[in-house]
Amino acid sequence: MTKIITTLILLLSISYTQAQYAYFGTRGKIAFDKVTFTKARMRSMTQNVDPSMMMRFGGGGGGFSLDNMPESTTQKMLLYFDENSTVLTIDPSAEESSASNNSGNRMNIRGGAGGGARGGNFGGGRGGAMQMNVVGGAPRGRVNNNSKVFYQDLKKGTSNVQLEIDEKYIISDSLNNITWRFTDEYREIAGFECRRVNGSTPDSLYLVAFYTDQIPVSAGPALSSGLPGMILGLAIPEMHIQYWATKVDYTNDTTPNDWKDKKASAITLDDFVKSFGRIFQRGRDSNTARRQIQEQLIY
């Protein structure tokens, strides 16, 4: 009888340990679909772009037409995570493709008052418009979104964004302090039960996130953090962008540390704003420029 009881206890312990690992996995890789509602985003941005800027992109002369744009596009991304950090990169094995209208996790969320998309390669929100410098007939100042890498140091509360604007830069800053408000809405994402929270950045950008405490790492895509678990769904209504997890794989590996380009120039966000503010923001309000640049680089 004693042997039977001992065996049962051992089996229960093994089962509990396995369940605990699956439930409290803190290292792995998450596949995300980044969905950009192209027409809606461009429609919002062009409302804030002056006619002279539209002419630079073929507007007014028949070259630019929303009718020729897809409703949405999907970019495949990978988020590597462990207890201390995350790295978000473009999935090298996938190409940008049109998003399916049958995507089960899409959300129809309208932005708050003020309208207008914030961000984009052509124009900024809050009335700003991206300016392009043309040298020798070739545009300069365009951000290569396919080269972006996002790094979060969860212990230090800092972030790095590696991107390319004619050359590569690694921009350092603190993690965004997002104010989250919990709701009683739940949905399943990538096999995990997720709770909805509504968020607001310091400059009042509205966010909708779905997180799971089954992955106890306070992080998510687009440098999102601050919740008691991993964010598997993130929507930024005013920018017409959504992130949805499609698959989670647990591993024993820490986040990769080879994401940095050795030739990239290190720069703080404040110094980046001073050097490249004109590309992203029209006007003289440096604080507004900083907020717009931060939003455009992150989302």
Side-chain angles (χ1 to χ4, degrees), residues 55-230:
M55 290 298 293
R56 296 188 189 187
F57 296 102
F64 174 80
S65 174
L66 285 174
D67 295 335
N68 296 328
M69 300 188 70
E71 290 291 339
S72 62
T73 57
T74 298
Q75 196 171 40
K76 303 291 184 179
M77 309 194 76
L78 294 175
L79 178 73
Y80 300 88
F81 67 93
D82 63 22
E83 305 89 340
N84 301 311
S85 61
T86 69
V87 173
L88 179 69
T89 66
I90 301 296
D91 185 346
S93 64
E95 295 182 354
E96 187 170 312
S97 60
S98 296
S100 169
N101 291 327
N102 297 322
S103 176
N105 278 320
R106 286 194 180 192
M107 299 180 67
N108 184 14
I109 304 174
R110 293 186 177 273
R118 307 183 188 198
N121 287 340
F122 303 118
R126 305 180 188 272
M130 179 175 177
Q131 295 182 351
M132 303 287 289
N133 298 320
V134 179
V135 179
R140 297 177 61 83
R142 187 190 300 268
V143 177
N144 181 0
N145 287 318
N146 289 328
S147 70
K148 281 187 181 180
V149 181
F150 302 86
Y151 174 80
Q152 295 183 89
D153 188 320
L154 303 175
K155 297 301 182 183
K156 295 181 180 179
T158 59
S159 68
N160 286 302
V161 179
Q162 180 173 277
L163 53 76
E164 184 176 355
I165 307 178
D166 301 330
E167 62 179 280
K168 286 189 177 180
Y169 296 87
I170 297 178
I171 305 168
S172 61
D173 194 28
S174 58
L175 287 177
N176 217 353
N177 185 20
I178 304 172
T179 301
W180 297 108
R181 293 177 175 82
F182 294 79
T183 76
D184 293 326
E185 180 181 342
Y186 292 83
R187 70 165 56 188
E188 184 177 306
I189 302 174
F192 292 83
E193 183 181 57
C194 298
R195 183 177 184 178
R196 172 176 173 165
V197 289
N198 300 326
S200 178
T201 65
D203 58 316
S204 301
L205 181 66
Y206 178 60
L207 309 174
V208 176
F210 286 86
Y211 80 94
T212 177
D213 57 9
Q214 295 174 349
I215 306 176
V217 176
S218 180
L223 302 182
S224 55
S225 62
L227 290 169
M230 180 66 70

Side-chain angles (χ1 to χ4, degrees), residues 35-52:
V35 183
T36 302
F37 295 90
T38 318
K39 275 191 177 181
R41 181 165 181 164
M42 288 304 301
R43 188 177 293 110
S44 296
M45 288 192 296
T46 53
Q47 292 175 355
N48 297 319
V49 178
D50 60 46
S52 62

Side-chain angles (χ1 to χ4, degrees), residues 225-244:
S225 62
L227 290 169
M230 180 66 70
I231 296 173
L232 297 182
L234 179 68
I236 309 98
E238 292 182 41
M239 298 183 68
H240 308 287
I241 293 174
Q242 299 178 10
Y243 293 81
W244 298 105

